[in-house]
Amino acid sequence: ERWKELTPQVLNDDMTRIYIDDMNHWMCEADWEPWLEPYFPKSGRIAVDVGAFRGQYTARLARRFDRVIAFEANRRTYSRLKFIPFPNVDIRGVALSDNTGVVDFQDRIGNHVNSGGSGIVGCIPEYADVRNTKVPCFPADRFLLHVADQIDFIKIDVENAEALVLKGMIKTLERGSPKLLIEAHTDQSHRECVEILDGLGYAAAFIPNPQQTGFPVGWLICERAKSCNSDGATGAAEWSANQSATAVQG
């Protein structure tokens, strides 16, 4: 295996570790948001990474879970991410939504700092220096429902398309009741996500982003109440460590 001889290189000031093989494929792991660490489980069966970007959270989850299913719609990013050196990671180069079809995807090729700001046209602002592509989209239930009872954790960061993703995984959430960590990019996205999750019996707490001032930039940590979980799995939220999370008023 060509990855065995690699040594991570520490680059830039964000402690990004880049793994490069002899074919110049790469992936990275970075502590982009270290304040989120308390909300990532230490172990589990299956984790899902929706909006995997360059693999920073995918790699973290791969070290902790038996299996990781990751989704990345940006074709440019996916072309590198698919070489991530973890045998327990399954990468899908599609967009997740509430329907099956094709979406217009805006790739921020002019933003060399954060191409992760790319997203579905209509969900994100119109930027200069972009390339629009057609990307297939599917409901997450198509990929996840058959293993829903084994999924312990789902992270979602899809640039204001969070509610669409949730609507497409309703059956998976009902059957498996995984813990969720969702980045809320706008006030509307925040409210829509809370409404969807409330209908499924999930409790949510807001985690503000200390690097950006003002609501709504931040994350939602969500867990389903035990009374809503037919298989008797662990119930409503017991979030440790980070006392900055404040309850969302639904």
Side-chain angles (χ1 to χ4, degrees), residues 24-235:
N24 204 33
H25 297 133
W26 61 270
M27 55 77 62
C28 84
E29 180 183 6
D31 292 329
W32 288 90
E33 293 146 320
W35 62 90
L36 292 177
E37 171 58 26
Y39 303 100
F40 280 85
K42 301 299 182 184
S43 62
R45 296 167 296 176
I46 296 178
V48 179
D49 188 355
V50 184
F53 188 28
R54 295 188 298 183
Q56 58 268 32
Y57 289 130
T58 309
R60 178 183 298 180
L61 294 171
R63 291 190 175 96
R64 302 182 181 189
F65 284 78
D66 297 334
R67 180 186 177 193
V68 178
I69 305 172
F71 298 88
E72 177 51 53
N74 187 325
R75 291 181 177 178
R76 183 164 55 99
T77 308
Y78 169 73
S79 67
R80 298 176 174 87
L81 181 65
K82 65 183 179 181
F83 293 101
I84 189 170
F86 294 95
N88 60 334
V89 174
D90 179 13
I91 307 288
R92 302 297 181 98
V94 301
L96 295 185
S97 186
D98 59 348
N99 62 79
T100 298
V102 177
V103 295
D104 292 316
F105 190 89
Q106 182 174 275
D107 181 4
R108 296 183 65 187
I109 58 176
N111 187 340
H112 302 293
V113 176
N114 184 17
S115 62
S118 305
I120 296 175
V121 174
C123 292
I124 62 174
E126 293 185 6
Y127 297 103
D129 299 324
V130 301
R131 176 176 55 199
N132 288 346
T133 59
K134 301 288 186 180
V135 176
C137 69
F138 303 93
D141 284 336
R142 170 172 174 162
F143 303 99
L144 304 179
L145 187 57
H146 69 291
V147 291
D149 59 349
Q150 302 174 51
I151 298 174
D152 295 320
F153 180 75
I154 300 177
K155 166 249 163 186
I156 303 174
D157 180 2
V158 288
E159 305 300 325
N160 208 36
E162 299 80 30
L164 293 176
V165 172
L166 288 175
K167 290 176 182 178
M169 63 170 58
I170 295 294
K171 293 180 180 179
T172 296
L173 299 180
E174 288 178 333
R175 180 176 298 182
S177 301
K179 179 181 288 188
L180 304 171
L181 184 61
I182 307 168
E183 184 165 28
H185 290 82
T186 65
D187 181 41
Q188 179 180 352
S189 175
H190 174 269
R191 287 185 283 105
E192 289 178 349
C193 289
V194 170
E195 182 178 357
I196 294 168
L197 293 169
D198 183 66
L200 294 170
Y202 271 84
F206 181 69
I207 309 168
N209 185 336
Q211 294 182 347
Q212 300 186 43
T213 58
F215 186 83
V217 178
W219 292 73
L220 292 171
I221 179 72
C222 318
E223 195 166 351
R224 204 175 186 201
K226 185 175 182 180
S227 60
C228 297
N229 190 343
S230 60
D231 66 4
T234 303

